[in-house]
Amino acid sequence: MTITTRVVKTGWMRPHAPGGLLFVALGLILVATGYVWRGRVLRPLSAKRAQAAVIRDRFRNLLRSADMAIAGARRRAAHGEPAIVTVGDVTRVARRHYGYLFVEREEAAAALRQRYEAADCRVDCMTDAFN
């Protein structure tokens, strides 16, 4: 008893499709590039971009400091009394947590105002950031 098999050429499967090889080659190049750099942060190419990045990071850290100051004031407040958050609290947290030697009052107040509004603190907090 013999079994015969018949192969029909439909053109659907080509053994060396250039699109597939190109896709695999591009993937290998990306993996090799990622392995070489290993997540190293590249320096910005211009001084203006570097300065803008420093300013963004500083303000982001001040926003985080304001969040931490609000959370700390809410923890310290007794049940039923409002939490009091001051600009001094924000500057103190920024100094201790992020190591900033000097934080301007206007910067800290702007960050505290923004986070005060975002956290809906009008209900249970008081602040001096709006003066």
Side-chain angles (χ1 to χ4, degrees):
M1 172 175 214
T2 51
I3 299 175
T4 58
T5 308
R6 197 167 116 182
V7 177
V8 179
K9 291 188 177 184
T10 60
W12 285 84
M13 293 182 60
R14 287 179 271 168
H16 301 291
L21 290 177
L22 182 65
F23 184 73
V24 170
L26 181 63
L28 289 174
I29 289 171
L30 287 175
V31 167
T33 304
Y35 181 74
V36 169
W37 273 319
R38 288 192 196 173
R40 280 187 278 158
V41 177
L42 299 177
R43 285 190 340 230
L45 298 177
S46 70
K48 287 171 70 175
R49 287 180 59 196
Q51 185 65 24
V54 166
I55 291 170
R56 274 193 316 271
D57 288 344
R58 181 177 173 88
F59 192 69
R60 187 180 313 123
N61 290 339
L62 284 176
L63 288 175
R64 289 179 185 149
S65 298
D67 284 336
M68 287 188 263
I70 290 171
R74 283 181 171 166
R75 279 192 305 270
R76 286 190 307 268
H79 183 68
E81 84 178 23
I84 300 172
V85 185
T86 63
V87 176
D89 294 337
V90 176
T91 57
R92 196 173 310 111
V93 171
R95 282 187 199 131
R96 287 183 185 163
H97 195 74
Y98 294 105
Y100 293 132
L101 297 177
F102 180 73
V103 178
E104 291 187 24
R105 179 172 171 72
E106 293 80 21
E107 282 182 312
L112 182 56
R113 280 192 298 267
Q114 187 174 349
R115 299 315 296 166
Y116 186 85
E117 294 294 328
D120 195 29
C121 284
R122 291 195 185 275
V123 178
D124 63 343
C125 296
M126 294 174 57
T127 185
D128 62 345
F130 291 100
N131 295 342

